[in-house]
Amino acid sequence: MRLSVNPNDKTPIYRQLYDQIASDVLSGVLAPGTPLPPIRTVSKELGVSMITVRSAWEMLERDGYLLTRAGSGCFVAPINETHRQNKVDARLSAAIDTLVDDAKALGVEKETLLSMIESRFL
Amino acid sequence: MRLSVNPNDKTPIYRQLYDQIASDVLSGVLAPGTPLPPIRTVSKELGVSMITVRSAWEMLERDGYLLTRAGSGCFVAPINETHRQNKVDARLSAAIDTLVDDAKALGVEKETLLSMIESRFL
Amino acid sequence: MRLSVNPNDKTPIYRQLYDQIASDVLSGVLAPGTPLPPIRTVSKELGVSMITVRSAWEMLERDGYLLTRAGSGCFVAPINETHRQNKVDARLSAAIDTLVDDAKALGVEKETLLSMIESRFL
Amino acid sequence: MRLSVNPNDKTPIYRQLYDQIASDVLSGVLAPGTPLPPIRTVSKELGVSMITVRSAWEMLERDGYLLTRAGSGCFVAPINETHRQNKVDARLSAAIDTLVDDAKALGVEKETLLSMIESRFL
DNA sequence: GTGGTCTAGACCACA
DNA sequence: GTGGTCTAGACCACC
C-alpha cells in the first residue's frame, strides 16, 4: 500500500488519505483482513499529525472500510461483493453526474465529451 | 438568466454563483454585452449577502467574464472564440482527469465507464 | 437548550454532547431550523476544548441532525416525521434489547423487570 | 459454560468475558464451587491473549465472583442469597435507569416503552 | 463574526 | 506496543 499526500492540494489531507484507502479497498488492492500500519507510523512517514491520520481512519471505519480493534490495530473490513460493486457504482455515478452536468452547462456535445474521455484513458 | 443558490451545499455560495455565470458565458447563453442585474437585486432575490454576490462578481471580472462600467453596472465581457474554446476545454479536461483517475483507481474498465457516461447523457 | 457535561463519566465528552442534542432533536425540543450556539461559545461555557465540541457537531451532521453553513453557523436539520419516528424506535430498541438480554442472562422474570421499570418511571 | 468473544465489538474483550461469567454466577448457571477451565485453555479456545483472560479473572476475583486456590485453579465463589439478589438488582437498576432516562429524553410515554419491552421478552 | 483544518503535544485503556 | 480522547493553540476560507 502506497500512501501519499499533497499538502498544497486544496482537498484536506484526511480526505486524500480516505480516498486512497477507500479506492484500494474497493478495487481489491487491499484485501479484507489486511492489517494497516499503525497510525503513528503513517503519521511519521507522511509527515502529518497523528490526528489527521486518525481522522481519516475514523471516517473509513464509519463507512465500513476499516475495523479497529483497540490495542491491536486497524484492519480492512470484510466486504460483500454486491455491496462492494454498489459502492463502486455509487462513487463513479456521482462523479459522472457532475461531469455530465458540467458538460451540458457548457454546451458540449456527447460525442465530444466521450472522445475527450477516451483519449485520456491510457 | 436564472441564478439559484443552495446554502446547505458544501460549495461556497460565491462559488455557486461564479460557476453558473461562467458556464452561461462560456456556453453562449449569456451573450457578450448582456447587462447583469444589480448586485443588490441579486442579493435580495437569492437571500444572500451583498458581500457574497460582490465577491463572485469580482472573481468573474478578474477572470474576464464580466466588465464593470462605473455607474451603469456589470456586463458580459466580449470573448474571443478561440479563447472561449480554450476555457471550455480546460474546464472539462480537469473534470475528466479527475473522473478517469478515479475510475482507474477503482479498477473500472474504459468500456464500462464510457457506457455509464453515455447512459447518463439524455 | 441546556447542555451539560460530566468529565468524570466514562463516556467521552463528545458522546455526551451528541446524545443530548440528538435526543433534543428527536423529541422535538429543538425544532428544525433552530440555530445552535457557536462552537466557541459552547466550548467556553462547558469548559471543554473547541475540538471536542466540533467532534460532537461533526457526528451530528453526519447523522443528519445538524446542517452547518460555513460562515453562518450550525442549524437543526429538517427531519421527516416518519424518519424521526424510525430513529426514535431504533434508538430505544437497541437499548431495550441490551436490557432484556441482560435480564434474561440474570434469570430475571418478565414481570419482575416490568415492575422495576414502571416504578422508575415518575 | 459457553464463553464467546467478538474482537470487533467495541466493548473490551476482558469486559466481555467478565460480563458473561458474572451473569452466569448471578443467575445460578455456574454454581458455587464449580471449577473454571485453566486460563491457558480459555485463551487458546477463544483465540485471545492469556493476559486478557487473566485480567478478566482478576477482576472477577476482586468482585467476589471467583476464588483462586493456588495449584488447583479458579472456582466459583460461594455467594450469600441476599448478596446475590442485591447484585442482580444493582446491575439491572443501572441498566433500567439508563433506559428510562433515554425514553424520557426522547419523549416516549411509559406505556409505549413497557409494551415495546414486553414484545421483546419472548 | 462563523466553521474547517491542522499541529504537537499529553494521558488513558486495551492487548 | 496499539488506538481513543483531549487540550491549547494556530491559520484559513466564508459570510
Side-chain angles (χ1 to χ4, degrees):
Chain A
M1 180 184 42
R2 297 223 62 64
L3 288 174
S4 66
V5 144
N6 177 6
N8 299 324
D9 194 330
K10 65 180 176 58
T11 76
I13 295 178
Y14 75 90
R15 236 311 187 187
Q16 298 181 35
L17 293 175
Y18 176 97
D19 287 339
Q20 291 176 57
I21 294 191
S23 291
D24 284 351
V25 172
L26 289 179
S27 69
V29 169
L30 281 177
T34 309
L36 269 71
I39 288 181
R40 302 169 214 252
T41 305
V42 176
S43 160
K44 253 136 198 159
E45 286 180 351
L46 297 179
V48 301
S49 162
M50 260 179 47
I51 300 217
T52 304
V53 180
R54 240 227 118 248
S55 169
W57 262 229
E58 190 182 349
M59 279 180 66
L60 287 162
E61 178 172 22
R62 227 173 45 210
D63 293 349
Y65 295 106
L66 258 49
L67 286 176
T68 100
R69 298 179 193 165
S72 358
C74 292
F75 304 82
V76 176
I79 185 168
N80 177 289
E81 172 56 21
T82 58
H83 194 193
R84 191 187 70 83
Q85 195 58 47
N86 286 344
K87 284 193 174 178
V88 171
D89 284 357
R91 186 152 151 183
L92 269 190
S93 291
I96 290 174
D97 285 351
T98 307
L99 176 62
V100 170
D101 287 350
D102 215 23
K104 284 180 183 169
L106 292 170
V108 171
E109 302 291 338
K110 179 170 79 171
E111 284 70 25
T112 313
L113 181 67
L114 288 176
S115 73
M116 285 181 79
I117 292 171
E118 196 151 6
S119 69
R120 217 67 54 96
F121 217 113
L122 302 178
Chain B
M1 179 182 45
R2 299 219 61 66
L3 286 174
S4 66
V5 143
N6 177 7
N8 294 328
D9 194 326
K10 288 300 181 190
T11 74
I13 294 177
Y14 83 91
R15 237 315 190 183
Q16 297 182 36
L17 293 175
Y18 178 98
D19 287 341
Q20 290 175 58
I21 295 186
S23 291
D24 284 350
V25 172
L26 290 178
S27 69
V29 169
L30 281 178
T34 310
L36 267 69
I39 287 183
R40 60 181 303 116
T41 306
V42 177
S43 162
K44 268 178 191 150
E45 285 181 355
L46 298 179
V48 303
S49 161
M50 273 178 52
I51 298 181
T52 305
V53 181
R54 168 167 297 116
S55 90
W57 263 229
E58 275 170 3
M59 228 168 152
L60 286 160
E61 186 170 9
R62 177 169 57 69
D63 293 350
Y65 294 105
L66 299 185
L67 287 178
T68 303
R69 278 185 243 155
S72 10
C74 287
F75 301 82
V76 175
I79 184 167
N80 176 291
E81 172 57 20
T82 53
H83 194 194
R84 193 187 70 82
Q85 194 58 46
N86 285 344
K87 283 198 173 180
V88 170
D89 282 359
R91 186 150 150 185
L92 269 190
S93 290
I96 290 174
D97 285 350
T98 307
L99 176 63
V100 170
D101 288 349
D102 212 22
K104 284 180 184 167
L106 291 171
V108 171
E109 303 291 340
K110 181 171 77 172
E111 285 71 25
T112 312
L113 181 66
L114 289 175
S115 73
M116 283 181 81
I117 294 172
E118 196 150 7
S119 71
R120 215 66 54 93
F121 218 113
L122 302 178
Chain C
M1 181 184 39
R2 298 222 63 62
L3 287 173
S4 65
V5 144
N6 176 6
N8 299 323
D9 194 330
K10 65 180 176 58
T11 76
I13 295 177
Y14 75 89
R15 236 312 187 184
Q16 298 181 35
L17 292 175
Y18 176 97
D19 287 340
Q20 290 176 57
I21 294 191
S23 292
D24 283 352
V25 172
L26 289 178
S27 70
V29 169
L30 282 177
T34 309
L36 269 69
I39 288 181
R40 302 168 214 254
T41 305
V42 176
S43 162
K44 251 136 200 159
E45 285 181 353
L46 298 179
V48 301
S49 163
M50 259 179 47
I51 299 217
T52 305
V53 180
R54 239 225 119 251
S55 168
W57 262 230
E58 190 182 349
M59 280 181 65
L60 286 162
E61 179 171 22
R62 227 173 47 212
D63 294 350
Y65 294 107
L66 257 48
L67 287 177
T68 99
R69 298 180 194 164
S72 4
C74 292
F75 304 82
V76 175
I79 183 168
N80 177 288
E81 172 57 21
T82 59
H83 194 193
R84 192 188 70 83
Q85 194 58 48
N86 286 344
K87 284 194 173 178
V88 171
D89 284 357
R91 183 152 154 184
L92 268 190
S93 291
I96 289 174
D97 286 350
T98 307
L99 176 63
V100 170
D101 288 349
D102 214 23
K104 284 180 182 169
L106 292 170
V108 171
E109 303 291 339
K110 179 170 79 172
E111 284 70 25
T112 312
L113 181 66
L114 288 175
S115 72
M116 284 180 80
I117 293 170
E118 195 149 8
S119 69
R120 217 67 54 96
F121 218 114
L122 302 179
Chain D
M1 179 183 44
R2 299 221 60 68
L3 286 174
S4 66
V5 143
N6 177 7
N8 294 329
D9 193 327
K10 288 299 182 192
T11 74
I13 295 178
Y14 85 91
R15 236 319 190 179
Q16 297 183 35
L17 293 174
Y18 177 97
D19 286 342
Q20 290 176 58
I21 294 186
S23 291
D24 284 351
V25 172
L26 290 178
S27 70
V29 169
L30 281 178
T34 309
L36 267 70
I39 287 181
R40 61 180 304 117
T41 305
V42 176
S43 162
K44 269 179 191 151
E45 286 181 353
L46 298 178
V48 302
S49 160
M50 273 177 52
I51 297 182
T52 305
V53 181
R54 168 166 296 116
S55 91
W57 262 229
E58 274 169 4
M59 228 168 151
L60 286 161
E61 186 170 9
R62 177 170 57 69
D63 293 350
Y65 293 105
L66 299 184
L67 287 177
T68 303
R69 278 184 244 156
S72 5
C74 286
F75 301 82
V76 175
I79 184 169
N80 176 290
E81 173 57 20
T82 52
H83 193 194
R84 192 187 71 83
Q85 195 57 46
N86 285 344
K87 284 198 172 178
V88 171
D89 282 359
R91 187 150 150 185
L92 269 190
S93 290
I96 290 173
D97 286 351
T98 306
L99 175 63
V100 170
D101 287 349
D102 212 21
K104 284 180 183 168
L106 292 171
V108 171
E109 302 291 339
K110 181 171 77 172
E111 285 71 25
T112 312
L113 181 66
L114 289 175
S115 73
M116 284 181 81
I117 294 172
E118 197 150 7
S119 71
R120 215 66 53 95
F121 218 113
L122 301 179

